[in-house]
Amino acid sequence: MSGIAGELARVKGAFAQPTLTLLHQRQAPVVITIFRTAFGRSNNPIPTARLHTQVEEHLAAMRVAGEQDVPTGSGREICQRWMRGQWLVRSLDDAGHEVYALTSHAQQALELVKNLARDRATLSEHRVATILGTVRRFNSEANPDRTARVSILNAEIARLRAERDRLVDGGDLAGATEDYMLEGFTELLSLISALPSDFARVEERFATIRSEILSAFRAEDRPAGEVIDDYLARADALMTATHEGRAFEGAFALLRDDALVTQLREDLTALLEHPLSDRILSDADRAELRGTVRLVRDGLDRVLAQRSRVTATLKEYIVSHDAARDRELEQTLRQVEAELMTWMATTGPRATHDVALLPARAGVEHLRERFHDPADDVLPDRISTPDPALAPPVSLEELVAQGGPRLATLRERLDAATTSLLPVASLGALFDDLEPSLRRPVEIFGLLHLAADRAWPSEEAVEPFAAVRPDGSQRTFAVPRTPLPDPDRPTPHETEERA
């Protein structure tokens, strides 16, 4: 095969991929718009009935807006066509409900459209410097010559030491230009937008392995131990021999390092608070950067859930497959067959025998009865109304100070703490940061009530709550420690809303 013919074959193979078939079709703008609107950038699973309704509503709104070239049919029929095109996948969530999710091919198409919709950056100093720095770092980590690696590290240490000394001595602090910041934010957003499709590819690999394991178990043409060994070998190869698996392992190792996660949050916060960021970033871009850690964790959770489903399939088969019970069932069936042959030998060909499919109904002769007792309906004694003039005078502030917890104010403070990029560690730390008027002993019960309402678990260890009474006296309470949830992980309430 000539060079041009081979290149043509490779290009045709690329165009046959579901990503390009989605972008190449006539209705691609409509389909991409619905995917972006329904699933967002995090590709949260959507219940099947809800997505059918959303598709029909979005298409009706597009027709009203004057769009002519839209898919026809009901929402269910359209989603089934998209599944055949390998752009949607239908599966079961943890509660056993059917949900839709975008495949990695559809997410790649969304990423391409999103990158094209942004202002494309031209050749700049930032891009060239990024290439040079990446090549330098890559060489320093991969160069097989020990002397060369040491020389590269010494040069980098000398450069950084010189820059540090210059700044310490009062040297000029060069500010970043708007073009430099625009180029940096564009590259950062491009890297982040590629994460969902990478995680989806790993998730799809595990789903494929699960379906193959189920097929092997049902076929029963191989021993169960051989099937399990094959799964373990393939899972290990997926995590070490594929690009997606290595990327997943790297992200998982990153999020296990609390110091790196904290550093990532602080760096993102500093970039978002840069004076030039308001003129460069839109609200959607800021939200995307702010949710980077949560995006990565959601992708990891979905991959781990898919891997857990594969492991659960193996466990269910191993637990439910009982060789002794199978032999007992086979013996019972053989005895039934032998008795049937004996009965057929002594009866005619048209003889029948009634066999009860269900057991007889159980009869109960007597049920316990509880008769009415008039003493149960006796009204309590009337409450006497005291004379209002005998009540001591009291002000509104005194009543508020002696009243119950201020749940509305505490809820606002709790929401602000859980949405911050640098949250407090526990309820005790949050309580110590409140003003004295919100640190009454009764406010401790208010915080614990709000935490229980959000299903936040407490630990066995205790932490001090330094409370201030309305009269100014102080008292410290030892309360079970309740850690605040990570702002980048979805709450149980959000998980129920997604379902």
Side-chain angles (χ1 to χ4, degrees):
M1 181 181 294
S2 63
I4 188 64
E7 187 65 24
L8 177 60
R10 285 189 291 270
V11 172
K12 284 184 176 180
F15 270 87
Q17 294 294 323
T19 300
L20 288 185
T21 56
L22 171 58
L23 295 175
H24 191 62
Q25 65 169 328
R26 188 178 65 259
Q27 298 172 346
V30 175
V31 179
I32 292 295
T33 301
I34 293 177
F35 284 168
R36 293 181 62 175
T37 304
F39 291 93
R41 72 186 186 94
S42 57
N43 189 25
N44 293 323
I46 300 178
T48 54
R50 183 185 302 174
L51 183 61
H52 296 163
T53 304
Q54 289 181 356
V55 169
E56 294 175 355
E57 293 177 351
H58 292 329
L59 292 178
M62 290 181 181
R63 293 189 184 97
V64 172
E67 180 65 31
Q68 300 294 330
D69 196 1
V70 297
T72 58
S74 63
R76 180 184 182 87
E77 295 171 349
I78 294 173
C79 289
Q80 288 179 348
R81 290 202 297 267
W82 290 344
M83 287 177 59
R84 289 192 294 270
Q86 300 183 34
W87 308 323
L88 277 183
V89 62
R90 185 169 57 191
S91 59
L92 298 177
D93 60 5
D94 296 337
H97 301 144
E98 282 192 346
V99 293
Y100 283 117
L102 293 178
T103 64
S104 59
H105 308 294
Q107 293 190 58
Q108 279 184 324
L110 265 65
E111 180 186 347
L112 289 174
V113 173
K114 186 175 183 180
N115 290 334
L116 292 174
R118 289 198 184 105
D119 294 335
R120 296 183 62 83
T122 58
L123 184 65
S124 64
E125 179 183 357
H126 182 279
R127 175 164 297 185
V128 174
T130 301
I131 294 174
L132 294 176
T134 303
V135 173
R136 188 68 170 175
R137 184 176 63 256
F138 186 24
N139 184 31
S140 66
E141 296 174 355
N143 197 309
D145 188 352
R146 183 186 301 271
T147 304
R149 284 199 191 186
V150 173
S151 300
I152 294 173
L153 292 175
N154 288 336
E156 183 65 16
I157 292 172
R159 186 185 66 81
L160 293 175
R161 182 182 291 112
E163 178 64 14
R164 182 202 61 186
D165 295 340
R166 186 184 69 83
L167 294 177
V168 170
D169 295 338
D172 295 335
L173 182 63
T177 63
E178 185 171 351
D179 292 339
Y180 184 87
M181 295 296 296
L182 175 61
E183 178 72 17
F185 279 126
T186 302
E187 292 183 2
L188 183 58
L189 289 170
S190 177
L191 292 173
I192 293 174
S193 62
L195 291 176
S197 60
D198 292 338
F199 286 121
R201 279 193 291 272
V202 182
E203 186 178 355
E204 290 170 2
R205 292 287 185 89
F206 273 114
T208 302
I209 293 176
R210 179 175 180 272
S211 62
E212 293 176 353
I213 288 176
L214 288 176
S215 300
F217 282 156
R218 295 190 183 105
E220 295 185 353
D221 56 352
R222 292 191 300 168
E226 183 179 343
V227 176
I228 296 174
D229 291 340
D230 182 47
Y231 159 69
L232 295 176
R234 294 188 59 183
D236 183 65
L238 177 61
M239 289 303 170
T240 57
T242 64
H243 173 72
E244 298 87 354
R246 290 191 297 269
F248 171 79
E249 287 292 328
F252 192 66
L254 167 66
L255 292 181
R256 281 184 297 184
D257 192 336
D258 294 336
L260 288 178
V261 174
T262 302
Q263 178 184 348
L264 176 59
R265 288 175 177 165
E266 292 176 350
D267 292 340
L268 288 173
T269 302
L271 290 174
L272 292 173
E273 293 176 354
H274 194 277
L276 296 177
S277 64
D278 293 336
R279 290 186 290 177
I280 297 174
L281 298 175
S282 62
D283 293 340
D285 293 337
R286 298 180 72 89
E288 184 171 354
L289 289 174
R290 194 178 296 275
T292 299
V293 177
R294 181 168 186 171
L295 175 67
V296 176
R297 282 185 166 162
D298 287 343
L300 290 175
D301 290 341
R302 285 196 296 271
V303 173
L304 293 176
Q306 189 63 251
R307 188 169 66 178
S308 298
R309 292 186 65 186
V310 180
T311 307
T313 301
L314 290 173
K315 179 182 177 181
E316 181 179 358
Y317 177 80
I318 295 172
V319 172
S320 61
H321 183 71
D322 189 347
R325 186 178 59 184
D326 292 345
R327 287 193 296 269
E328 292 177 359
L329 177 60
E330 183 179 0
Q331 293 174 0
T332 303
L333 292 177
R334 290 183 182 275
Q335 292 177 2
V336 171
E337 184 180 5
E339 294 294 333
L340 182 61
M341 295 301 295
T342 303
W343 179 74
M344 289 292 295
T346 58
T347 59
R350 297 184 181 275
T352 60
H353 180 72
D354 295 332
V355 178
L357 298 179
L358 295 176
R361 184 183 297 272
V364 180
E365 297 180 357
H366 178 71
L367 296 175
R368 289 189 61 185
E369 297 178 353
R370 183 177 183 274
F371 297 96
H372 173 69
D373 186 0
D376 294 339
D377 294 337
V378 176
L379 297 177
D381 296 336
R382 289 184 174 274
I383 300 177
S384 60
T385 304
D387 187 2
L390 300 178
V394 62
S395 64
L396 178 61
E397 295 181 356
E398 292 175 345
L399 286 175
V400 172
Q402 298 296 334
R406 304 175 187 176
L407 294 179
T409 305
L410 292 176
R411 187 179 289 107
E412 294 177 359
R413 301 297 178 86
L414 202 57
D415 291 339
T418 54
T419 55
S420 174
L421 284 177
L422 300 175
V424 294
S426 62
L427 283 182
L430 173 64
F431 185 80
D432 293 341
D433 293 339
L434 298 176
E435 55 267 25
S437 61
L438 287 176
R439 289 168 54 197
R440 298 178 301 155
V442 73
E443 309 296 354
I444 301 177
F445 294 99
L447 286 176
L448 294 177
H449 169 74
L450 294 176
D453 188 44
R454 302 185 184 195
W456 293 348
S458 59
E459 301 175 350
E460 295 183 359
V462 297
E463 62 178 341
F465 280 65
V468 180
R469 294 194 178 96
D471 59 0
S473 60
Q474 298 184 1
R475 182 175 178 180
T476 301
F477 296 88
V479 181
R481 186 178 185 274
T482 302
L484 266 67
D486 196 303
D488 298 303
R489 287 188 178 273
T491 63
H493 180 67
E494 294 176 347
T495 305
E496 293 176 0
E497 289 183 349
R498 293 179 184 176

